[in-house]
Amino acid sequence: ERMRYTLTYPNLEVKNSFLRLLYKSFSKDENVYTKIYDMLSVGDLDGFISVVSSIFASIPYDDGMRLNEGSFHTLFYLMVSAGGLPARSQVLNYSGRIDMVLEMRDKVYIFEFKCNQSAEVALNQIKERDYYRQYLQTGKKIYALGINFDKSGRNISEYKQEILN
């Protein structure tokens, strides 16, 4: 019989240290992950997107040329997770797969990423597929964020947000 192994981090401290090490390879500002945490904790989405955009802008041209929706998604997850936030990627629900969910004490952020499309398409997907419905009973403020990445510009081209409760 085949044996199945799951490789994971032994604890949260090791996970956070590893993610911060990876994260620092993309950002010269060692405090940027703290900024991400602070901005999301108070709901400052304009500031959050600005910081994330500056990180994407710092990726060297050669590396940036290989970016696609999947790699943007991975880097986005890395940035948020390195900030010590409990992000979950590819969250399954009854109507599809949510690109990323971040559940905080009083807020839930639901992210949908698109590449060379529009933030409106991403935001509509969250609403049409009811990605938010399972969080309605939490009593938390639910933020839906549709984010579009421009592959040629190698950065966020637009984002749209909506509070769903």
Side-chain angles (χ1 to χ4, degrees), residues 95-119:
S95 63
R97 185 182 357 240
I98 307 168
D99 282 344
M100 192 169 83
V101 174
L102 173 59
E103 195 167 354
M104 300 181 80
R105 183 177 41 82
D106 60 345
K107 297 171 192 62
V108 176
Y109 293 100
I110 300 172
F111 296 89
E112 183 63 34
F113 305 112
K114 296 297 177 192
C115 191
N116 293 334
Q117 293 184 46
S118 76

Side-chain angles (χ1 to χ4, degrees), residues 48-49 52 56 68-78 80 87-90 97-102 109-119 121-123 125-126 131 145-149 156 158-159:
F48 168 71
I49 293 294
V52 170
F56 280 121
N68 57 32
E69 183 176 337
S71 53
F72 276 120
H73 181 162
T74 300
L75 288 171
F76 204 95
Y77 171 79
L78 175 62
V80 173
R88 293 179 297 137
S89 185
Q90 300 295 315
R97 185 182 357 240
I98 307 168
D99 282 344
M100 192 169 83
V101 174
L102 173 59
Y109 293 100
I110 300 172
F111 296 89
E112 183 63 34
F113 305 112
K114 296 297 177 192
C115 191
N116 293 334
Q117 293 184 46
S118 76
V121 168
L123 186 60
Q125 183 173 329
I126 293 170
Y131 287 168
L145 283 99
I147 299 174
N148 185 60
F149 297 103
I156 296 171
E158 66 173 330
Y159 83 100

